[in-house]
Amino acid sequence: MNEAVSGRAILRSSLRRRRGEFARLAGWSLVEAVPAFWSGHLVARAVDHGFLAGDFASGLGWLAAMAAVTLVGAWGTRQAYLRLGSLVEPFRDELVTLAAGAALRRSTLPPQRPDTAGVARLTHQVEVVREAYATVVMITLGFVITATSTLLGLATLAPAILVLVLPPLLIGLGLFLGALRAMAARQRATILADERIAESVTALGAGFRDILACGAQERVRAAIGEHVDDQARATRDLARLTAVRTAALGVGGRLPLVLVLLAAPWLVRHGTTTGAVLGALTYLMQGLQPSLQTLVRGLGGSGLWLMVTLGRIAESADVPDRHPPPARAPASAQRPPPALELRGVRFGYGRDAEPVISDLDLLVPEGDHLAIVGPSGAGKSTLAGLITGMLEPQHGQIRLRGVPAVEAPSATRVLIPQEAYVFTGTLRENLRYHRPDAGRGELHAAVQALGLRPLVDRLGGYDQPFEARALSAGERQLITLARAFVAGAPLTILDEATCHLDPVAEARAEQAFADRPGTLLVIAHRITSAMRARRILLLDGTQTLLGTHESLLTDSPLYRDLTGHWTTTLGAGS
């Protein structure tokens, strides 16, 4: 179990850095164990030298001394718990740093998907480890010191009784410790199921509207229900192993008591005093048995949570080992990857179909403004699908900022299609669909940049509910454009996303995206869209040509025909 080893390494490292705090805690635990050592001796003296000797006052005196050492032990317990925070709280801070750093690093590695389970590690799991760590430190330290004090007291009081106590104690401990591995495996299964539930619920919250719109409630309920069933199954398996804990307690804690009671007549006949037998029973009933019971229950509960949860955190934090960084190139050779790169891309709708895109090479640097033009059926929308990863090329590579398009996270690009998707609700909900954390200032900036202020006023503000079907096609396009503007993706693709806008509104929308940081691709349906772009990609089936408006007018008869068609259409519509 590599994760357990990693967890133990984290514990050892934390304890090494705080040897002084641990030594002070152990010192107060020794004070706490004073009653464990003296209780049997004081009971034996009270019986043998007091009550059985007819000296009632002396017996009461010895019992009063026992009460005094009990108070000393209580004072030691208080001081020990006061010192516990100096070990636990710094350890918790270390785990928060470890879990948060791992989640951030994992989210930036290919394919750059958010580490939703990292939220569970950072919140629930770290708190579980914190509480379990405190419990395990106290019960383990308490058992070691109490058991040692009890056995030393028993050895000095009645060595013959020690022979009856020590073997079953060791057998019971061995039985319990041997079962811990199996218990840890069940506990790990419970934690993994808990993480899967956290991931599923996070995804459910992010796509709740889409789930309802697609009628996928039953499918989602079944998927999450399967994770819940896995967690319940692992919990039941873990509960069955409690029988081992019960057996360990019976052998190590109760069997010595039975053996001493059975052997008491023989012990008394062979010189052990009655007080010594009662003192031995005191050691067992007030010292050894309670401390063993606390140890077994604590390690079987909090100890398992500590071992498995800490191991899970350590395993998830091992990002560099599982994702080694690429070898660094010389400083002179390092350049930021382009926003978009296509190499030898070919795509057709079917194995034997004529390719729509054939052997296309294209390099789009960061900050470029590219218009994609061509006759109907030339492959403009197909190219948009390939760039966004909705389609996979049959040959060649497509990379977004150096990452394959199908693996790049959705936040790296946004596609606004011709058919605008606006759902019934408030304008704020629609605009924040891709960025739920977007503030009012960001919404206001998008509204101003794209000219939505009249629509906002007509709808009654950001928080007034509206029916999507009550909006015109152009208004719906404006909302989807503003939503994409708020999303702030590095690459924006407008696939005839302004076809229902008038030329002025279209120009304002394209200029808004061109002026902000990022790269803009426009599938143009008006000559003005092409003229506003820095470069133009002309598609004509398997033929492509890249240039400016002026160069294409000179070099491409098809582009001159398209320009004439657009100009005629614009004139007819004006």
Side-chain angles (χ1 to χ4, degrees):
M1 295 175 61
N2 294 331
E3 68 277 9
V5 174
S6 299
R8 287 197 296 269
I10 293 174
L11 282 175
R12 286 195 299 267
S13 176
S14 179
L15 288 174
R16 277 197 304 269
R17 287 193 296 271
R18 296 173 184 85
R19 294 188 187 93
E21 290 85 349
F22 185 77
R24 284 187 284 274
L25 178 62
W28 285 112
S29 296
L30 285 172
V31 176
E32 182 184 2
V34 166
F37 178 80
W38 285 108
S39 59
H41 278 282
L42 293 175
V43 167
R45 283 176 171 77
V47 172
D48 290 335
H49 303 291
F51 300 120
L52 290 183
D55 189 349
F56 190 76
S58 177
L60 290 177
W62 288 113
L63 294 181
M66 184 174 177
V69 298
T70 302
L71 292 176
V72 172
W75 180 58
T77 300
R78 179 180 182 276
Q79 296 298 322
Y81 273 99
L82 290 176
R83 303 301 187 279
L84 185 61
S86 61
L87 279 178
V88 173
E89 296 307 324
F91 183 60
R92 175 188 178 275
D93 294 342
E94 292 170 357
L95 289 182
V96 169
T97 301
L98 183 69
L104 290 174
R105 291 195 303 274
R106 192 179 305 278
S107 297
T108 60
L109 290 171
Q112 293 185 325
R113 295 186 178 93
D115 185 10
T116 54
V119 178
R121 285 189 290 276
L122 187 59
T123 55
H124 176 64
Q125 292 183 9
V126 169
E127 287 304 313
V128 166
V129 170
R130 173 183 175 272
E131 295 178 9
Y133 180 57
T135 302
V136 168
V137 167
M138 291 303 295
I139 64 174
T140 304
L141 194 59
F143 173 78
V144 170
I145 294 178
T146 300
T148 302
S149 301
T150 299
L151 294 174
L152 286 175
L154 193 57
T156 56
L157 178 65
I161 297 179
L162 188 62
V163 178
L164 302 174
V165 173
L166 193 56
L169 173 64
L170 295 177
I171 293 173
L173 277 175
L175 181 65
F176 170 68
L177 295 176
L180 273 180
R181 180 176 293 273
M183 297 169 73
R186 271 61 170 191
Q187 192 72 63
R188 173 180 167 81
T190 301
I191 290 177
L192 292 178
D194 184 59
E195 285 189 10
R196 286 191 290 269
I197 291 173
E199 291 183 17
S200 300
V201 171
T202 301
L204 171 64
F208 186 70
R209 289 185 179 274
D210 292 336
I211 293 170
L212 292 179
C214 298
Q217 297 96 317
E218 289 300 324
R219 182 177 178 181
V220 172
R221 184 183 296 114
I224 296 180
E226 183 178 347
H227 298 324
V228 174
D229 291 341
D230 290 341
Q231 186 186 44
R233 192 179 305 110
T235 303
R236 286 194 298 269
D237 292 340
L238 182 62
R240 293 189 185 99
L241 288 173
T242 55
V244 178
R245 294 193 302 178
T246 303
L249 280 175
V251 173
R254 294 182 176 85
L255 182 58
L257 182 64
V258 173
L259 292 177
V260 171
L261 289 174
L262 292 175
W266 182 88
L267 291 169
V268 171
R269 287 197 303 269
H270 289 78
T272 303
T273 65
T274 303
V277 173
L278 291 176
L281 294 175
T282 301
Y283 278 131
L284 296 178
M285 297 176 65
Q286 294 188 4
L288 194 60
Q289 190 180 80
S291 64
L292 178 63
Q293 182 173 341
T294 301
L295 178 74
V296 170
R297 291 181 178 175
L299 291 185
S302 298
L304 284 181
W305 278 106
L306 175 64
M307 180 169 61
V308 179
T309 309
L310 181 58
R312 183 61 180 151
I313 292 175
E315 180 186 61
S316 64
D318 193 21
V319 179
D321 290 342
R322 282 188 280 176
H323 300 279
R328 292 180 60 85
S332 59
Q334 290 184 13
R335 293 185 179 89
L340 172 65
E341 182 180 12
L342 288 80
R343 295 295 183 192
V345 172
R346 184 186 307 144
F347 179 83
Y349 291 96
R351 182 183 300 273
D352 300 321
E354 188 72 19
V356 180
I357 304 291
S358 180
D359 300 323
L360 175 61
D361 294 326
L362 178 65
L363 193 67
V364 181
E366 285 283 352
D368 199 6
H369 179 181
L370 177 70
I372 303 173
V373 302
S376 178
K380 301 186 296 297
S381 294
T382 299
L383 180 58
L386 290 167
I387 293 172
T388 55
M390 293 187 293
L391 299 174
E392 291 192 48
Q394 295 165 340
H395 182 270
Q397 293 183 343
I398 302 176
R399 292 184 175 273
L400 301 177
R401 290 186 162 188
V403 179
V406 294
E407 297 179 8
S410 57
T412 60
R413 75 279 202 199
V414 60
L415 169 68
I416 304 98
Q418 179 179 356
E419 296 300 325
Y421 170 56
V422 176
F423 54 82
T424 297
T426 67
L427 186 60
R428 185 186 302 275
E429 290 172 334
N430 272 274
L431 297 183
R432 295 172 65 183
Y433 182 75
H434 297 300
R435 280 276 314 283
D437 60 337
R440 182 177 181 85
E442 293 172 283
L443 302 187
H444 180 71
V447 166
Q448 291 298 112
L450 293 162
L452 263 74
R453 177 51 56 186
L455 178 59
V456 174
D457 294 339
R458 186 174 74 78
L459 293 178
Y462 290 107
D463 298 309
Q464 185 66 32
F466 64 86
E467 291 285 340
R469 61 188 176 185
L471 300 176
S472 67
E475 288 172 335
R476 288 197 295 271
Q477 283 193 333
L478 281 175
I479 291 176
T480 56
L481 287 165
R483 177 194 298 156
F485 195 93
V486 171
L491 174 62
T492 301
I493 305 169
L494 306 182
D495 185 4
E496 299 193 30
T498 59
C499 63
H500 296 298
L501 301 182
D502 60 69
V504 174
E506 178 185 61
R508 181 171 185 171
E510 290 180 5
Q511 195 61 46
F513 282 99
D515 289 344
R516 67 169 199 166
T519 305
L520 176 63
L521 269 62
V522 179
I523 296 179
H525 67 286
R526 290 189 179 118
I527 183 60
T528 49
S529 293
M531 294 177 65
R532 280 188 291 267
R534 294 193 187 100
R535 297 190 301 163
I536 301 171
L537 176 66
L538 174 63
L539 297 181
D540 181 17
T542 59
Q543 303 296 316
T544 61
L545 191 61
L546 183 66
T548 64
H549 175 67
E550 292 76 12
S551 67
L552 291 177
L553 280 175
T554 302
D555 300 336
S556 174
L558 173 61
Y559 187 74
R560 289 195 295 270
D561 290 344
L562 286 174
T563 302
H565 170 72
W566 282 332
T567 305
T568 303
T569 303
L570 182 60
S574 56

